Amino acid sequence: MTVGNDTPARPARGKAMNPIERVRQALQTAGLDADLVRELPADTSTAETAARAVGAPQGSIVKSLVFLADGAPLLVLAAGDQRVDVKRLRATLGLSKRRLRIAQPAEVLAHTGFEVGGVPPIGHNPPLRTLIDSTLGRYDAVWAAAGSAHAVFPIAYQQLLAITNGQVMDLAQAGH
């Protein structure tokens, strides 16, 4: 995998940019303050633990789910109190079960450079196609992962849409 002009995405000698720094840089590139990123002693790898750590409603936590659509990574952002209806997602995208599936942890790391529990909505090179579940729009401000299981950042919902170029869809399971 390469970034830009044949520069390796992750050099063999471990000189890759720290995942949290990648998020800070992406925020800065988007015109936002890199200091929004908060590194916390508490685990923020699940919506429930992140909500406790930042004192916010669980629904305002952005769940970042990576799917493989015909082998290409697809980022789905959902409210922390919702479950993504994978059948609805497949139907919306017109993809069969064989063509769209949730990525395994090793695949998430390989495609994004981030580990499960710390996958941010930004900082991906190249940028990922991003779908955003409409229920996240209940909140003016949301909290997203910032590259590790101990880092998050707050962002206005409208800014999240803008910096991810995300497509809003109804993806939550009914009645959840």
Side-chain angles (χ1 to χ4, degrees), residues 19-28 37 114 120 122 145-147 153:
I20 296 170
E21 290 306 315
R22 282 176 54 198
V23 175
R24 284 189 172 114
Q25 185 177 56
L27 285 168
Q28 226 168 4
V37 173
F114 297 101
I122 57 171
F153 67 95

Side-chain angles (χ1 to χ4, degrees), residues 80-169:
D81 62 352
Q82 301 294 310
R83 293 182 64 97
V84 171
D85 185 334
V86 180
K87 288 181 183 177
R88 181 185 286 181
L89 177 61
R90 286 187 184 115
T92 300
L93 297 175
L95 296 174
S96 67
K97 196 172 187 177
R98 288 182 76 196
R99 294 180 59 205
L100 178 77
R101 66 177 177 80
I102 191 84
Q104 296 298 314
E107 294 169 320
V108 171
L109 182 59
H111 283 286
T112 69
F114 297 101
E115 293 188 16
V116 170
V119 177
I122 57 171
H124 304 280
N125 198 351
L128 300 180
R129 178 178 180 198
T130 303
L131 306 180
I132 301 174
D133 179 58
S134 61
T135 63
L136 201 52
R138 295 174 289 163
Y139 299 93
D140 291 333
V142 295
W143 289 85
S148 91
H150 297 278
V152 293
F153 67 95
I155 187 168
Y157 173 74
Q158 292 300 322
Q159 286 179 317
L160 179 69
L161 295 180
I163 69 172
T164 62
N165 199 27
Q167 183 180 358
V168 178
M169 295 181 162

Side-chain angles (χ1 to χ4, degrees), residues 28-107:
Q28 226 168 4
T29 299
L32 299 172
D33 187 351
D35 290 335
L36 288 172
V37 173
R38 297 186 190 170
E39 293 185 69
L40 304 171
D43 175 44
T44 59
S45 64
T46 68
E48 185 179 342
T49 59
R52 268 199 309 270
V54 299
Q58 188 171 330
S60 70
I61 304 299
V62 178
K63 286 198 297 194
S64 299
L65 305 172
V66 179
F67 287 83
L68 294 179
D70 288 331
L74 170 70
L75 185 61
V76 175
L77 305 179
D81 62 352
Q82 301 294 310
R83 293 182 64 97
V84 171
D85 185 334
V86 180
K87 288 181 183 177
R88 181 185 286 181
L89 177 61
R90 286 187 184 115
T92 300
L93 297 175
L95 296 174
S96 67
K97 196 172 187 177
R98 288 182 76 196
R99 294 180 59 205
L100 178 77
R101 66 177 177 80
I102 191 84
Q104 296 298 314
E107 294 169 320

